[in-house]
Amino acid sequence: MYKVIVFSLLLTPSSSSIAQPVITRNHLMFPGDEFFVAGTGLVPHHGNGGANVNWDFSSVQQNSMATNTVENSDDTEYASDFPDENIAFLDQTPGSPFYQYELITENVWEEHGYVVPENSVVTFDNPRTYLQFPFTYDDQWQDAFSYEIEYQTDPPFITFGAGIIDVRVDGYGTLVLPQSTFDEVLRVRIIAETTDTTVLGAGLYERNYFHDTTFIWFSPLYHGPLCTHVNSITMRTTTVIAGDTLHFPETLEYHGFSFDPLAESSSSVYDELSVGIHALNVSPNPIEEAMHVEFTSDHVQEMVFLLQDLNGHVLYTVPITALHGENNIDIILPEIPSGTYVAVLQSVHGTDLKKLIRINGR
């Protein structure tokens, strides 16, 4: 039932060896931000923990893509079900949107609930503490949690569950993804053990035990999650009769790996000063035919605007002479299909600043 969403964090500068990060709430994403998740077919080994580790996932290949957005929880359609939360994460995977409701403060990140539209609503009566701030390498903590799941069926039925989460910041070092290499990366290991019971009526029920191990990698060089490795084991320990079907005890396993294919060590939202460009904005978004590009430049410089697909293929280029101060440019797009693309503003120094745009219409 769990989806874990984690965000990249600003780490400390490096010296002769990989520095140990210190994480605060200010390093997490805020409403209005976006990040991207590419699924893979083959799941690599998650690698070892420890100091100055090299995690090499350069050979993984994506076979799916989803856009995730961060919103104020009060601005979402399920806000009334989660009055004490302040952040909502929206997974916009086509055909299966998913809302995750959180309370994030200067001291703690708590998971409070989930919504799968037209399927189920999950509420934590005892929230799960996901992160404690600040933290650094080798910190660890545990927390107990409990929840209920109301399935939107006719008639509805409810699952009750409880468990323990164990979190440890178990490694730091270098992460290699297919498109870029990141230094000073921090890895967090999350182990959750959960037991739940679903009452099916007429004295029938189903009981499940879950053991989930999740690894998350963070970098200062991209404002979004870099990659996630999940190993989930579900053991159904109770025989259930549902309709005419007899379900015996069984064990199910899931292994998954995902990464952000737009993350590049040269395109950090924290590194805009290196190209002298600030406040890049592309509107409208979604776009149909024409776009308006706004940005501020620290000096006069030659630049190139590029439109790329999610595989990095350049579809369109426009040379730009950036003026000192505010710049406003109107661009007519070529004829391209509907989908998700990347707007890139590239300086003569070869450093990119990227922002996702979505094209509708043609």
Side-chain angles (χ1 to χ4, degrees):
M1 66 160 244
Y2 300 110
K3 284 193 178 182
V4 179
I5 298 178
V6 180
F7 306 90
S8 70
L9 313 169
L10 187 60
L11 314 183
T12 57
S14 62
S15 58
S16 58
S17 62
I18 302 299
Q20 295 185 26
V22 176
I23 308 306
T24 72
R25 187 274 173 266
N26 290 334
H27 301 141
L28 300 180
M29 294 178 72
F30 287 86
D33 291 333
E34 294 178 312
F35 62 100
F36 315 95
V37 179
T40 62
L42 298 177
V43 179
H45 189 271
H46 53 71
N48 298 322
N52 295 307
V53 180
N54 184 69
W55 296 287
D56 188 351
F57 302 125
S58 58
S59 63
V60 299
Q61 297 182 358
Q62 72 178 74
N63 61 7
S64 64
M65 169 67 74
T67 303
N68 294 266
T69 60
V70 185
E71 303 178 9
N72 288 304
S73 59
D74 289 343
D75 296 334
T76 66
E77 58 184 300
Y78 304 102
S80 60
D81 294 322
F82 302 95
D84 299 324
E85 293 64 47
N86 58 1
I87 295 291
F89 302 127
L90 173 58
D91 180 342
Q92 300 185 76
T93 301
S96 58
F98 181 89
Y99 292 83
Q100 182 173 339
Y101 287 87
E102 317 290 327
L103 176 66
I104 304 180
T105 70
E106 296 300 316
N107 300 313
V108 70
W109 176 352
E110 293 180 347
E111 296 183 298
H112 280 227
Y114 310 84
V115 175
V116 181
E118 301 182 0
N119 179 278
S120 58
V121 177
V122 182
T123 54
F124 284 73
D125 53 344
N126 182 17
R128 178 165 59 175
T129 299
Y130 178 64
L131 297 177
Q132 294 180 350
F133 304 114
F135 65 86
T136 188
Y137 171 61
D138 221 22
D139 283 352
Q140 56 186 314
W141 56 89
Q142 289 186 332
D143 189 37
F145 60 90
S146 57
Y147 60 88
E148 68 175 53
I149 309 172
E150 182 176 354
Y151 294 92
Q152 299 173 355
T153 57
D154 186 18
F157 60 93
I158 296 177
T159 294
F160 298 93
I164 297 289
I165 184 173
D166 182 278
V167 182
R168 180 173 179 177
V169 188
D170 80 332
Y172 67 91
T174 298
L175 173 69
V176 185
L177 293 178
Q179 73 279 13
S180 196
T181 297
F182 301 83
D183 294 321
E184 299 180 36
V185 171
L186 180 107
R187 187 176 81 171
V188 175
R189 184 200 68 192
I190 306 155
I191 299 176
E193 296 188 16
T194 312
T195 301
D196 69 25
T197 301
T198 303
V199 178
L200 302 174
L204 300 175
Y205 63 93
E206 178 178 289
R207 182 168 292 128
N208 295 303
Y209 167 76
F210 304 93
H211 187 283
D212 300 321
T213 302
T214 303
F215 295 94
I216 312 292
W217 286 261
F218 307 94
S219 169
L221 299 179
Y222 193 72
H223 199 194
L226 280 175
C227 60
T228 302
H229 186 286
V230 179
N231 180 27
S232 178
I233 300 175
T234 302
M235 290 186 290
R236 293 177 176 165
T237 60
T238 304
T239 301
V240 178
I241 299 176
D244 296 327
T245 304
L246 180 63
H247 296 273
F248 293 96
E250 60 181 340
T251 299
L252 306 173
E253 292 193 37
Y254 168 78
H255 304 276
F257 183 86
S258 61
F259 69 102
D260 189 334
L262 300 187
E264 293 185 4
S265 58
S266 63
S267 60
S268 168
V269 296
Y270 300 113
D271 196 32
E272 295 179 0
L273 289 176
S274 65
V275 291
I277 294 297
H278 313 277
L280 173 65
N281 183 57
V282 179
S283 63
N285 194 3
I287 311 168
E288 289 190 1
E289 183 173 343
M291 71 168 68
H292 184 68
V293 179
E294 300 175 352
F295 62 92
T296 301
S297 177
D298 287 345
H299 49 82
V300 176
Q301 57 180 317
E302 297 300 320
M303 310 196 75
V304 177
F305 172 89
L306 305 124
L307 185 69
Q308 297 181 347
D309 63 19
L310 294 180
N311 294 317
H313 299 133
V314 176
L315 306 176
Y316 189 55
T317 62
V318 179
I320 296 172
T321 299
L323 305 176
H324 177 257
E326 294 185 2
N327 288 260
N328 294 273
I329 301 169
D330 291 314
I331 296 175
I332 304 298
L333 296 177
E335 199 169 316
I336 55 177
S338 299
T340 301
Y341 299 87
V342 181
V344 182
L345 198 57
Q346 186 173 32
S347 77
V348 295
H349 305 292
T351 303
D352 297 343
L353 187 65
K354 299 185 178 181
K355 181 179 178 67
L356 175 80
I357 58 174
R358 187 181 300 274
I359 311 296
N360 288 337
R362 298 185 302 174

